[in-house]
Amino acid sequence: MYCEIVPFDTPLSSIDAANLKGVILSGGPSSVYDRSAPGLADWLRGCEVPLLAICYGMQLLAHEMGGTVRPAARREYGRAHIQLSDSEHALFRGLPHRFEVWMSHGDRIETLPEGFQALATTASSPFAAMGDPFGRIGLQFHPEVAHTAYGRRILHNFLYEICRCTGTWTAERYVDDHVASIARLIRGETALCALSGGVDSAVAATLVGRAIGDRLTCIFVDTGLLREGEAPDVMHASAGLDLKIHMVDASAAFLAALAGIQDPEEKRRRIGALFIDVFEREARALGDVRFLVQGTLYPDVIESATPDNPSAAKIKTHHNVGGLPANHSFTLVEPLRYLFKDEVREVGRALSLPTSMLGRHPFPGPGLAVRVIGEVTPERLNTLRRADAIVVEEIRRAGLYDEIWQAFAVLTPVRTVGVMGDGRTYGDLLALRAVTSEDAMTADWARIPNDVLATISSRITNEVPGVNRVVYDISSKPPSTIEWE
């Protein structure tokens, strides 16, 4: 379905009202009583198209329409079960009376606005869903996340049954439109692309390559923060993309810039700035290239709290968004900026990219720098590389790689007492992290079989010098993030 993401205070004059089929109010980190909380645009009060308000959006709708919102005595984060009060409502058509949903809120609605009725409840939320006769619907849970059972069906019902949309927007159409718009933007000039070997940068590079052909040069930077054997693997995998690719070894510069740095935000800022330095140097060597292509996704934008998304809370500064220096010389080309990972993979399939590339586990732009907790040193990187390689080897051997969103190792700054060969050791604590997700906005910890975890732990403590304890992270997102830093 074609949609546009706009700020909460966008005036009706900036919207193609004649073709407007429906409005969705997203969730957000604010409380409706915060002084700077996003409000409800005036035109939405009398909006004549269906409205779906999610989480904070529901609380805002209730508050502005005369209901009461209060801090909940018991907050809801993660899995919850809702009981439908009105299973005949069009939004819930075809769904069971009770099913699992994903919650993430600290406030709750105490009294409904006049004209609204309860559509669903949970043990902690008397109004987990509400609706009125004018097509305004509120959901306290998040139907857009993979961990809400029937979430796709709920959105399908809203779009097709309530908004009467037709669903003609496809990944193929996205490709056609963006290839044309990129060609218009860059015209006869040249561009650089930051190629990491992951699906995001590969899809972005392929889109731009279709638009401007050999006027695109892809730069793969060996930062010294890559996984074991990653640089040659990326160059080999990218060889089939029909793109000009140049590898730059900047590992010494990145490690020097991170020396002594422990704060994760400072790590991201330094890495982002150094990436730009590398690309500006390459641009000058090619004749002052003005355009830089990045595989930025919408989760990166949301978590970085950028100027075009001012109502978001800054979770962490993504090196390719908030981590970039303000005075860089490039015009950024980010064709995936408003897509989520699952949508990027759909576009990649439309571009006929290899399945092995589309299914590759995400890897953070700052690399192992944000998986070595605390100071990054060559010795700690080597420890983490070997442990991480074991994790991936065993996940693949167990046939779990394609079922898991990400699986990796984290080297903590904690040291623990152990015993090896009848002697005392005082070694590193290493954590395993594996999650299931679809869009990286929410994630649940992967239920890896105990025997696989046991094999991974045994191999790491036997094969990686200095590690004497392995733990498994069983936190979901929220309240945790996927990466530790």
Side-chain angles (χ1 to χ4, degrees), residues 1-2 91 97 141 179 205 216 321 355 370 373 382 384 410 472:
M1 198 70 59
Y2 175 76
L91 189 71
H97 290 279
F141 62 91
V179 166
L216 174 69
V321 186
T355 302
V370 292
I373 309 303
N382 286 336
L384 181 57
V410 178
Y472 188 41

Side-chain angles (χ1 to χ4, degrees), residues 371-431:
R371 293 180 180 173
V372 170
I373 309 303
E375 184 178 3
V376 179
T377 66
E379 295 75 22
R380 299 191 77 205
L381 285 168
N382 286 336
T383 297
L384 181 57
R385 277 194 191 95
R386 185 63 198 127
D388 189 79
I390 290 171
V391 173
V392 175
E393 285 172 16
E394 293 302 327
I395 292 296
R396 287 189 182 278
R397 182 174 287 117
L400 299 172
Y401 188 86
D402 293 334
E403 297 178 17
I404 293 174
W405 175 267
Q406 270 176 283
F408 55 91
V410 178
L411 183 59
T412 78
V414 177
R415 306 198 74 198
T416 73
V417 174
V419 56
M420 291 181 175
D422 297 329
R424 179 186 188 273
T425 63
Y426 192 53
D428 292 316
L429 169 67
L430 189 128

Side-chain angles (χ1 to χ4, degrees), residues 300-353:
D300 303 339
V301 178
I302 293 171
E303 293 186 336
S304 297
T306 57
D308 60 351
N309 191 39
S311 301
K314 185 171 79 170
I315 308 301
K316 55 189 175 185
T317 300
H318 288 260
H319 77 288
N320 56 329
V321 186
L324 296 182
N327 60 347
H328 67 78
S329 61
F330 290 109
T331 297
L332 297 181
V333 180
E334 297 173 317
L336 313 178
R337 188 177 179 84
Y338 294 109
L339 296 184
F340 292 91
K341 180 75 76 171
D342 53 331
E343 296 170 318
V344 172
R345 288 187 168 125
E346 286 295 322
V347 173
R349 279 186 276 272
L351 290 166
S352 300
L353 293 186

Side-chain angles (χ1 to χ4, degrees), residues 3 281 434 448:
C3 62
R281 185 172 65 247
I448 296 176

Side-chain angles (χ1 to χ4, degrees), residues 31 109 130 164 171 193 202 218 227 248 303 306 375 422 442 448 450:
S31 168
I109 296 169
M130 67 179 190
R164 301 296 180 185
C193 178
C218 296
R227 292 169 291 193
V248 176
E303 293 186 336
T306 57
E375 184 178 3
D422 297 329
T442 62
I448 296 176
N450 288 345

